């Protein structure tokens, strides 16, 4: 009887400790930003955070299909302009389904790496570069293309090589290997 009471007390104690631990983990730690209903922890890498965002399931699936998980999990640092599911939904019907097919891996990789700039560029860094460029900053992407960053009102906009415009909707989502800026439109290379 004493042994079972001790076991019950131990289980109760451990359960309370687990609940407290989960509770502490869900509290926002400094530098944590909520994206897609999930906390983006600055101690995790780009992929570890992105897989938890309900707003980035299409992006994560595309990154996996392109074989870029290992690259975006590496030390970096990277600046990623991360399109939301809604951004992918703006593309013509069937585009995403076609791009994730194995035979289109090169095209998908080019599009995804067009959203990545080497180095860590915060919103403040982007604004400083835009100011230094007289209202525009040219960003060299990992794919070899260029994006043009501009300020419209209080927001940062990106112009792709085809003339499309995407707005940064959530800036400075800090990662252990860079920074993510959430964007509302998929950027397209030439």
């Amino acid at each position: 009887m004493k042994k079972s009471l001790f076991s019950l007390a131990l289980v109760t104690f451990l359960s309370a400790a687990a609940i407290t631990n989960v509770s502490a983990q869900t509290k926002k730690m400094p530098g944590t930003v909520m994206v897609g209903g999930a906390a983006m922890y600055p101690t995790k890498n780009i992929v570890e955070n992105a897989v938890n965002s309900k707003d980035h399931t299409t992006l994560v699936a595309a990154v996996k299909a392109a074989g870029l998980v290992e690259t975006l999990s590496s030390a970096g640092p990277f600046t990623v302009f991360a399109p939301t599911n809604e951004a992918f939904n703006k593309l013509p019907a069937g585009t995403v389904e076609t791009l994730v097919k194995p035979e289109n891996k090169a095209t998908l990789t080019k599009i995804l790496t067009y959203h990545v700039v080497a180095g860590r560029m915060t919103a403040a860094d982007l604004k400083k570069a835009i100011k230094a460029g007289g209202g525009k900053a040219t960003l060299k992407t990992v794919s070899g293309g260029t994006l043009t960053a501009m300020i419209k009102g209080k927001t940062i906009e990106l112009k792709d090589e085809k003339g499309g415009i995407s707005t940064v909707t959530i800036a400075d989502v800090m990662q252990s290997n860079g920074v993510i800026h959430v964007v509302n439109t998929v950027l397209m290379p030439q």
Side-chain angles (χ1 to χ4, degrees):
M1 184 74 171
K2 285 183 182 179
K3 189 174 183 179
S4 65
L5 283 174
F6 175 75
S7 296
L8 180 61
L10 182 60
V11 168
T12 303
F13 173 76
L14 291 174
S15 295
I19 290 168
T20 301
N21 189 31
V22 168
S23 201
Q25 288 176 358
T26 57
K27 286 183 182 171
K28 211 170 160 188
M29 65 184 338
T32 303
V33 176
M34 297 297 287
V35 176
M40 301 287 117
Y41 297 104
T43 56
K44 292 186 176 186
N45 70 42
I46 291 164
V47 174
E48 290 171 331
N49 275 320
V51 297
N52 295 317
S53 170
K54 289 183 222 160
D55 290 345
H56 290 89
T57 56
T58 305
L59 177 62
V60 170
V63 165
K64 288 177 182 177
L68 294 172
V69 171
E70 190 175 317
T71 301
L72 292 176
S73 297
S74 69
F78 304 106
T79 299
V80 177
F81 298 103
T84 60
N85 295 341
E86 195 174 295
F88 280 101
N89 290 338
K90 290 180 184 179
L91 296 172
T95 301
V96 174
E97 294 78 11
T98 301
L99 285 171
V100 296
K101 290 181 179 178
E103 62 267 25
N104 297 319
K105 184 177 178 180
T107 303
L108 178 61
T109 300
K110 182 177 179 179
I111 292 169
L112 292 176
T113 56
Y114 187 64
H115 289 77
V116 181
V117 174
R120 182 187 309 250
M121 291 192 77
T122 64
D125 296 330
L126 288 168
K127 288 176 181 177
K128 185 176 177 182
I130 292 166
K131 186 176 179 182
K136 293 182 180 181
T138 301
L139 308 175
K140 186 78 166 172
T141 69
V142 172
S143 72
T146 58
L147 293 169
T148 303
M150 307 161 288
I151 296 176
K152 183 175 182 182
K154 292 184 179 186
T155 61
I156 296 171
E157 289 187 335
L158 301 165
K159 184 176 182 180
D160 65 27
E161 293 172 336
K162 291 191 174 187
I165 302 289
S166 187
T167 301
V168 173
T169 57
I170 302 173
D172 294 341
V173 184
M174 303 310 288
Q175 315 291 298
S176 64
N177 63 341
V179 60
I180 292 174
H181 301 290
V182 177
V183 294
N184 67 355
T185 303
V186 176
L187 299 157
M188 299 302 279
Q190 209 47 299

